[in-house]
C-alpha cells in the first residue's frame, strides 16, 4: 500500500518538476486516454460481465460525487451522511421538471437542479452547522432518510415508488461514428460493426454519457482547485484544524462551513441530475442511505482532502464490484470492514493529501533525531 | 386531527410502549457518549443481534405456544439470551472497533467512521449468514436459523393478546403491560446501579472528568467495558420488547430504530441517563400523535424532523447541560 | 524565498521539496527576529490617543465559580498594559470576555468607545482585537506561512465568486497577504521556517508564530496570554524586547504574564487580579510596593512549593 502511495506521489513530484509545455502535453495525452478508455477497452481493465461504458459512466459519476463530498468532509471537516439526499433531490428535480410535471429541456433542468440542491443545502445547513460535529452526522443521516421517505410518499409529485420515467436526454449532435477496439489476447483490432456515434445520447450506448460525465468532472475539478487555493480553501482548512482559534483569527467559520456544505450539495445535485438523464428512469430505491455511506467511504478511503485520492477511490470502489462480480453480494460487508480497517490502520486514507504525508515524514525525522539524541 | 382526538389514549399508551423501546436503546448511546464522547453508531446492531439470539434460542427450545407460567419462563429465557448476546456483541465491538482508536487518540471523525464500518459489518454479516454454511453444505440443516437471511425472522413465541383493563377508552393489552413493565424494571435497575454501586460511581466519575477519575484510581478501560456491557444488555432487552410488539426482526431492523433511539438520547440531553428515558417516551408518543395527524407513512419523517428541530432550538437536549461551551 | 508573488500554487511547489533537502528540526539554528522590519499599519498607528479599551464592572460566573468579579480597568492607546495575578486569578477569562469567547454575566467591554455587546468572535477580531493563547493553538497541519495568511485574511474579503473567477481582488489580496506574512515572519525571525508545518516548529518558534499570526490581522490591540510560558530567563528577556519593539511600531499591547519581575521591565502600567477581583492598578513601581500584591504573590508561592 505504501509502495503504491509512494509511487503515485512520485509520479506527482516528477510531473510537477517537468517544464510547462511537457506538463501540458502529458496532461492532454492522459485526458485523451481517459476519454478513449471505453473505445480502447483495454484488456484486464475492461469488464466482461457488464457493459464497460456503463461501468465507466458510473465511475465518472461517482468521481463527481466524491469531489463534491470531499469539499464537505475533506476540506471543511463536516461529516455529511446524507449526501444521497442531495443527489436524490437533483435527480428528482430533473425528473419532475423534465418529465413528470413539465417538459423543460435537460440543459435548463440541470442548473435548476443545482440551484434547488444549493438551496436545500443552505436550508439544512443553516440550523445544523452550528451544532457539534458529530450531531451533524446524525442530522444529515436523518435528512437523507427524510428525503427518501418524502419521495416514496409524495406520489403526486414524485410518482411514489413507481418513480419517474422518460427523463429527457441531453441534446444530441450526431457527427460521426467511432469504431471500438476488440482484443484478441493482447492484439487489438478495429471493430467497424461496433461504433459509438459522436455524439448521440441514447439508452443503447453509455459512452456519450461517460464523456459528458468526464467533462463535468474536469470542469468541477478545475473549480475545486481554484477554490482550495484561495482564501476560501485556507479558511476551510483553518476551521477544520481548530474552529475556535480560526474564529478568533477572524474567520467567519459558520459562513465558510455553510459555503462548503452548500457547494457540496450543489455538486451532489449536479451528479443526481446526470444520473437521472443517463438512467432515464428513477425511483426512490435508487437513493437509499447505503449510498451515503458508500460516498463517505470513497472520500475516506481516498484520503480526505486529496481530490485525486477521492477520484481514485470512487473509481476503484465502483469498478471493483463490477469487475469481480462474485463479490457483489458481500459488497457492503467489505465496505464495513474496509472502513473499520482504515480507521484503525490508515486513518489518513490511501492517498492522503500531501500535507499529511509531509507531516508524517517530518514526524519520522523527528523521531529519528530524538532517538539519536537518546543514544548519546 | 380527528384520528388523534378519538384515539388519544390508545396512541398515548402504544406510544409509551414504543417509547420504552427507544428509551432502552437510547441508554446505550447515552452511556457510551457520556464516557467516550463517541456516537456508537453500531449500537443499533448490538440491538439487532440480541433480537436474533432470542429468536434462535426460542426456536431451538421449541417455544411456540405457551400459557401462563410457561410464557413467563420463555420470556425470561428470551430476555436473558438477548441481553447476554447484546452485551457480548457490544464488548467485542468495543474491543475491535474502538479500543485501537482510543489507544491512538484518533480524532472523533475517525472514531465515527470506524463505528459506521462496524455497523455495516455487523448488519451485513447477519444478512449474509447463510453463506459460510453454504460452503460447508450445512445450510439446509440449519435452514430455520440461516435460511433467507435477507427476510424477516418471526418471533417464535406466540403470545395471545389479551385485553386486561381500560385506561379511559383504551383497552390495555397484556403485551403493552409486559413491555412497559419490563422496561420500567430495567430502567430502575440501571438507574440504581449507576447511582449506588461503586462501579456505577466509576462511570459517573469518568463521564464528568476522565483525567481526575484516572488520578483517583478509576480504571478507565474497565469503566468503558462496563458501559458497553450495560448499554448492550439494555439494547438486548429492548430487542425482546421489539419482538413482542412487532413480531419479527431483520438484519437491517436496527438502523432506523437506532437513529430514533439516538434522537431520543439527544432529545433528553445526551450523556444524561434519565434524559434518555424521558427522550424515549416523548419521542414514542410524539411519533404516534404525528402518525395520527399526518398518516402512518409519515411516522419516520416526523421522528427525524423532530430531531432536526430539537438540535436547532435546544442542542443540549431537555435535561442536558451545555456541552458546547467554548474553550480557549 | 523571494517568491512573494501571488498564488498559493507557487508556494505549493516549493513546499514539497523542503522537507527532504534541509534539516529544519534542530532548534539551535536560531534565526533572530529582525526588528528593523517595518510592520506598522496605518490603520493602527493613526489612532487617536486616549482609552482604547474599557472593561467596565465585568462579572462572569461559571455555575458557582465567580471567575471575574466586578473587574474594571482600561487600556490606553499605544501602551503596554500588564495583566498579572496568580494562577486561576481570572486573567485568561478576562481575555476570553474581551474577545467574545464568553459573554459577561454583567458589565460590558467597550472597544474604541463602542460596547462589544453580542458581537461574534470573528467580528471582534475584525474590529481590531487579536490574541494568542496560553496553550498554543496554531493550525498545526498548516505551514507557518499559511498560519499567518489565515490571520491576514481577516481583513480580506475574497469569497467564492472572486476565487472561482480569479477576479483582480483575489490576486491583489493574495499578494497583499503574502507580503504582509513575509514581513511579519521576518520580523519574528521565522522567515526560514515559512514552509514548515506549524507543529514541527520548535516550541519557541511556535510561540512567536502565534504572535505573527495575531499581528497579521492588523490588530489595534494585541493581547498576549503568557507568551513567554515555558521559556528560560534569557529567552523571556528576548521576547520582552520583541514585545517592546512591537509596541514601538505603533501597536497597543495587553500582556498577561505570570512572572511579576519580568512584567515590571516592559509594561507601562499594570493591573493585578486575584480570585477574579482587581486588587491593584498602577505603574510598575507602585505595584512592586503594593502590600496586597506582595501578599497575593507570597501566598501563591507557598501553595506552589
Ligand atoms: N470554562 C470554564 N468553566 C468553569 N470554570 C472556569 C472556566 N474557565 C475558567 N474557569 C475558572 O475561572 C477561574 C479563572 O481561570 P483563568 O482565567 O484561566 O485563570 P488564569 O488567571 O490563570 O488565566 C479558575 O478558577 C477556573 O477554574
Ligand atoms: Mg491563564
Amino acid at each position: 500500500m505504501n509502495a503504491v502511495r509512494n509511487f503515485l506521489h512520485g509520479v506527482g513530484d516528477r510531473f510537477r518538476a517537468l517544464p510547462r509545455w511537457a506538463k501540458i502535453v502529458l496532461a492532454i495525452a492522459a485526458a485523451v486516454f481517459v476519454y478513449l478508455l471505453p473505445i480502447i477497452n483495454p484488456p484486464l481493465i475492461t469488464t466482461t460481465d457488464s457493459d464497460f461504458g456503463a461501468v465507466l459512466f458510473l465511475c465518472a459519476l461517482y468521481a463527481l460525487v466524491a469531489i463534491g463530498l470531499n469539499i464537505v468532509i475533506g476540506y471543511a471537516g463536516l461529516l455529511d451522511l446524507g449526501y444521497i439526499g442531495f443527489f436524490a433531490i437533483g435527480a428528482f428535480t430533473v425528473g419532475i421538471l423534465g418529465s413528470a410535471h413539465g417538459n423543460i429541456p435537460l440543459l435548463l433542468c440541470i442548473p435548476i437542479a443545482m440551484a434547488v440542491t444549493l438551496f436545500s443545502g443552505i436550508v439544512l445547513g443553516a440550523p445544523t452547522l452550528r451544532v457539534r460535529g458529530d450531531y451533524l452526522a446524525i442530522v444529515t443521516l436523518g435528512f437523507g432518510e427524510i428525503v427518501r421517505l418524502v419521495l416514496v410518499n409524495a406520489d403526486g409529485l414524485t410518482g411514489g415508488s413507481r418513480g419517474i420515467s422518460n427523463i429527457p436526454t441531453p441534446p444530441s449532435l450526431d457527427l460521426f461514428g467511432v469504431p471500438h477496439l476488440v482484443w484478441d489476447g493482447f492484439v487489438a483490432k478495429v471493430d467497424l460493426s461496433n461504433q459509438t456515434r459522436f455524439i448521440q445520447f441514447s439508452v443503447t450506448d453509455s459512452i456519450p454519457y461517460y464523456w459528458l460525465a468526464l467533462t463535468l468532472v474536469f470542469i468541477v475539478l478545475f473549480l475545486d482547485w481554484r477554490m482550495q487555493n484561495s482564501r476560501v480553501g485556507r479558511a476551510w482548512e483553518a476551521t477544520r484544524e481548530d474552529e475556535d482559534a480560526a474564529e478568533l483569527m477572524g474567520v467567519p467559520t459558520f459562513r465558510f462551513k455553510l459555503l462548503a456544505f452548500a457547494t457540496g450539495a450543489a455538486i451532489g445535485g449536479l451528479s443526481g441530475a446526470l444520473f437521472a438523464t443517463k438512467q432515464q428512469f428513477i425511483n426512490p430505491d435508487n437513493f437509499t442511505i447505503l449510498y451515503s455511506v458508500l460516498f463517505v467511504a470513497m472520500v475516506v478511503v481516498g484520503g480526505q482532502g486529496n481530490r485525486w485520492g477521492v477520484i481514485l477511490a470512487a473509481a476503484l470502489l465502483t469498478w471493483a464490484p463490477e469487475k469481480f462480480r462474485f463479490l457483489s453480494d458481500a459488497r457492503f460487508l467489505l465496505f464495513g470492514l474496509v472502513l473499520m480497517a482504515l480507521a484503525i490502520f490508515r486513518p489518513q486514507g490511501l492517498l492522503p493529501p500531501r500535507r499529511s504525508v509531509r507531516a508524517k515524514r517530518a514526524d519520522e525525522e523527528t523521531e529519528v533525531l530524538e532517538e539519536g539524541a537518546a543514544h548519546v | 386531527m380527528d384520528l388523534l382526538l378519538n384515539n388519544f389514549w390508545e396512541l398515548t399508551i402504544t406510544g409509551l410502549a414504543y417509547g420504552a423501546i427507544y428509551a432502552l436503546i437510547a441508554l446505550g448511546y447515552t452511556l457510551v457518549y457520556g464516557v467516550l464522547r463517541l456516537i456508537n453508531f453500531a449500537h443499533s446492531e448490538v440491538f439487532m443481534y440480541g433480537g436474533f439470539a432470542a429468536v434462535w434460542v426460542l426456536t431451538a427450545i421449541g417455544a411456540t405456544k405457551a400459557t401462563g407460567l410457561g410464557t413467563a419462563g420463555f420470556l425470561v429465557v428470551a430476555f436473558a439470551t438477548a441481553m447476554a448476546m447484546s452485551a457480548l456483541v457490544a464488548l467485542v465491538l468495543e474491543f475491535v472497533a474502538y479500543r485501537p482508536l482510543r489507544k491512538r487518540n484518533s480524532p472523533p471523525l475517525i472514531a465515527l467512521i470506524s463505528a459506521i464500518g462496524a455497523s455495516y459489518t455487523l448488519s451485513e454479516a447477519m444478512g449474509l449468514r447463510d453463506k459460510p454454511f453454504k460452503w460447508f453444505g450445512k445450510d439446509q440443516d440449519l435452514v430455520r436459523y440461516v435460511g433467507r437471511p435477507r427476510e424477516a425472522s418471526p418471533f417464535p413465541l406466540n403470545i395471545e393478546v389479551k385485553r386486561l383493563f381500560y385506561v379511559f377508552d383504551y383497552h390495555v393489552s397484556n403485551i403493552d403491560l409486559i413491555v412497559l413493565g419490563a422496561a420500567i424494571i430495567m430502567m430502575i435497575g440501571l438507574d440504581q446501579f449507576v447511582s449506588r454501586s461503586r462501579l456505577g460511581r466509576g462511570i459517573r466519575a469518568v463521564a464528568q472528568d476522565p483525567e481526575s477519575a484516572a488520578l483517583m484510581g478509576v480504571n478507565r478501560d474497565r469503566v468503558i467495558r462496563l458501559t458497553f456491557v450495560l448499554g448492550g444488555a439494555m439494547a438486548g432487552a429492548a430487542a425482546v420488547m421489539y419482538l413482542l410488539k412487532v413480531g419479527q426482526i431483520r438484519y437491517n431492523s436496527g438502523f432506523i430504530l437506532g437513529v430514533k433511539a439516538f434522537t431520543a438520547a439527544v432529545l433528553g440531553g445526551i450523556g444524561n441517563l434519565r434524559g434518555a428515558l424521558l427522550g424515549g417516551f416523548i419521542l414514542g408518543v410524539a411519533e404516534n400523535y404525528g402518525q395520527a395527524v399526518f398518516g402512518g407513512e409519515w411516522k419516520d419523517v416526523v421522528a427525524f424532523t423532530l430531531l432536526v428541530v430539537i438540535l436547532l432550538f435546544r442542542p443540549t437536549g431537555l435535561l442536558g447541560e451545555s456541552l458546547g461551551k467554548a474553550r480557549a | 524565498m523571494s517568491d512573494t508573488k501571488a498564488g498559493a500554487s507557487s508556494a505549493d511547489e516549493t513546499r514539497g521539496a523542503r522537507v527532504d533537502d534541509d534539516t529544519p528540526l534542530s532548534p539551535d539554528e536560531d534565526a533572530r527576529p529582525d526588528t528593523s522590519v517595518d510592520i506598522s499599519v496605518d490603520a493602527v498607528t493613526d489612532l487617536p490617543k486616549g482609552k482604547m479599551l474599557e472593561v467596565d464592572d465585568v462579572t462572569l460566573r461559571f455555575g458557582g465559580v465567580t471567575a471575574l468579579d466586578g473587574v474594571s480597568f482600561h487600556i490606553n492607546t499605544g501602551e503596554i498594559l500588564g495583566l498579572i495575578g496568580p494562577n486561576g486569578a481570572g486573567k485568561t477569562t478576562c481575555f476570553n470576555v474581551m474577545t467574545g469567547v464568553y459573554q459577561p454575566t454583567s458589565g460590558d467591554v467597550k472597544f474604541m468607545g463602542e460596547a462589544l455587546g453580542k458581537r461574534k468572535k470573528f467580528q471582534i477580531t475584525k474590529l481590531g482585537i487579536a490574541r494568542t493563547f496560553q496553550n498554543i493553538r496554531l493550525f498545526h497541519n498548516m505551514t507557518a506561512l499559511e498560519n499567518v495568511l489565515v490571520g491576514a485574511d481577516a481583513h480580506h474579503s475574497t469569497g467564492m465568486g472572486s476565487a472561482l473567477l480569479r477576479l483582480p481582488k483575489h490576486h491583489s489580496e493574495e499578494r497583499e497577504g503574502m507580503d504582509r506574512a513575509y514581513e511579519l515572519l521576518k520580523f519574528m525571525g521565522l522567515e526560514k521556517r515559512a514552509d514548515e508545518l506549524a507543529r514541527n516548529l520548535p516550541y519557541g518558534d511556535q510561540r512567536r508564530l502565534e504572535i505573527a499570526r495575531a499581528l497579521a490581522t492588523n490588530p489595534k490591540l494585541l493581547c498576549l496570554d503568557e507568551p513567554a510560558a515555558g521559556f528560560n530567563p534569557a529567552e523571556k528577556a528576548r521576547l520582552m524586547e520583541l514585545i517592546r519593539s512591537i509596541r514601538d511600531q505603533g501597536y497597543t499591547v495587553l500582556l498577561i504574564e505570570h512572572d511579576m519581575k519580568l512584567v515590571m521591565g516592559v509594561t507601562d502600567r499594570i493591573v493585578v487580579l486575584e480570585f477574579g477581583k482587581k486588587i491593584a492598578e498602577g505603574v510598575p513601581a507602585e505595584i512592586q510596593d503594593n502590600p496586597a500584591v506582595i501578599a497575593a504573590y507570597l501566598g501563591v508561592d507557598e501553595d506552589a512549593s
Side-chain angles (χ1 to χ4, degrees), chain B:
Chain B
M1 212 63 208
D2 282 352
L3 201 62
L4 172 61
L5 296 177
N6 295 339
N7 301 285
F8 185 78
W9 291 106
E10 173 174 1
L11 290 169
T12 309
I13 288 175
T14 53
L16 284 175
Y18 273 106
I21 297 172
Y22 297 148
L24 283 179
I25 305 174
L27 285 172
Y29 284 106
T30 247
L31 275 167
V32 169
Y33 194 92
V35 298
L36 282 183
R37 297 283 176 271
L38 164 77
I39 297 176
N40 180 9
F41 198 86
H43 189 58
S44 45
E45 270 51 62
V46 168
F47 158 88
M48 183 264 292
Y49 272 70
F52 271 100
V55 169
W56 293 334
V57 167
L58 289 191
T59 308
I61 61 176
T64 46
K65 229 178 169 88
T67 45
L69 261 178
T71 315
F74 285 137
L75 274 179
V76 169
V77 171
F79 273 105
T81 324
M83 289 170 77
M85 178 67 155
S86 290
L88 181 72
V89 173
L91 204 57
V92 171
L93 178 69
E94 193 270 330
F95 189 77
V96 175
Y98 303 141
R99 180 160 318 178
L101 296 180
R102 217 161 58 238
K103 300 286 175 237
R104 285 160 202 241
N105 267 327
S106 299
L109 190 68
I110 295 297
L112 192 55
I113 297 277
S114 182
I116 293 171
S119 169
Y120 272 83
T121 307
L122 285 171
S123 113
E124 287 295 311
M126 186 57 83
L128 296 168
R129 63 183 182 277
D130 58 333
K131 288 282 182 303
F133 296 99
K134 268 209 181 108
W135 295 334
F136 296 108
K138 293 267 188 257
D139 56 313
Q140 280 315 310
D141 309 345
L142 296 169
V143 72
R144 283 193 301 167
Y145 308 100
V146 302
R148 313 227 283 165
R150 300 255 157 192
E151 307 293 323
S153 299
F155 191 46
L157 186 61
N158 209 335
I159 298 178
E160 197 186 331
V161 178
K162 284 201 191 108
R163 297 288 163 183
L164 302 177
F165 56 85
Y166 279 96
V167 171
F168 296 89
D169 56 350
Y170 177 59
H171 211 163
V172 178
S173 76
N174 51 348
I175 306 265
D176 293 327
L177 212 61
I178 295 172
V179 168
L180 278 170
I184 288 167
I185 293 168
M186 297 286 159
M187 289 165 188
I188 293 176
L190 183 74
D191 193 75
Q192 290 301 305
F193 178 79
V194 172
S195 52
R196 294 281 162 83
S197 75
R198 211 175 67 85
L199 285 169
R201 275 200 300 278
I203 293 181
R204 282 183 300 146
V206 173
Q208 264 160 30
D209 186 345
E211 275 152 39
S212 316
L215 289 176
M216 302 318 242
V218 177
N219 179 341
R220 181 153 182 262
D221 279 339
R222 223 173 94 199
V223 165
I224 289 168
R225 276 197 298 274
L226 181 68
T227 54
F228 274 87
V229 168
L230 286 177
M234 293 298 134
V240 178
M241 296 172 195
Y242 176 84
L243 284 167
L244 285 172
K245 276 304 284 181
V246 179
Q248 57 180 29
I249 191 158
R250 275 165 62 126
Y251 76 104
N252 60 0
S253 295
F255 176 74
I256 293 284
L257 217 64
V259 176
K260 286 190 190 168
F262 180 79
T263 305
V266 172
L267 174 56
I270 193 147
N272 183 318
L273 292 184
R274 291 177 189 176
L277 302 181
L278 182 67
F281 285 122
I282 291 181
L283 183 67
V285 173
E287 194 180 80
N288 251 6
Y289 294 162
Q291 162 167 239
V293 177
F294 301 107
E297 68 273 27
W298 295 100
K299 182 173 164 187
D300 293 345
V301 178
V302 171
F304 291 128
T305 311
L306 192 64
L307 172 68
V308 176
V309 172
I310 293 156
L311 287 175
L312 233 161
F313 292 106
R314 201 171 156 79
T316 56
L318 297 173
L319 302 185
E321 316 102 68
S322 71
L323 284 166
K325 273 252 165 72
R327 5 130 242 144

Side-chain angles (χ1 to χ4, degrees), chain C residues 147-167:
Chain C
N147 269 274
V148 184
L149 283 174
V150 171
D153 282 337
H155 51 261
H156 291 162
S157 60
T158 299
M160 185 153 84
S162 324
L164 283 182
L165 301 174
R166 288 293 192 252
L167 296 183

Side-chain angles (χ1 to χ4, degrees), chain C residues 92 134 225-226:
Chain C
T92 300
Q134 186 172 348
D225 195 345
E226 302 201 23

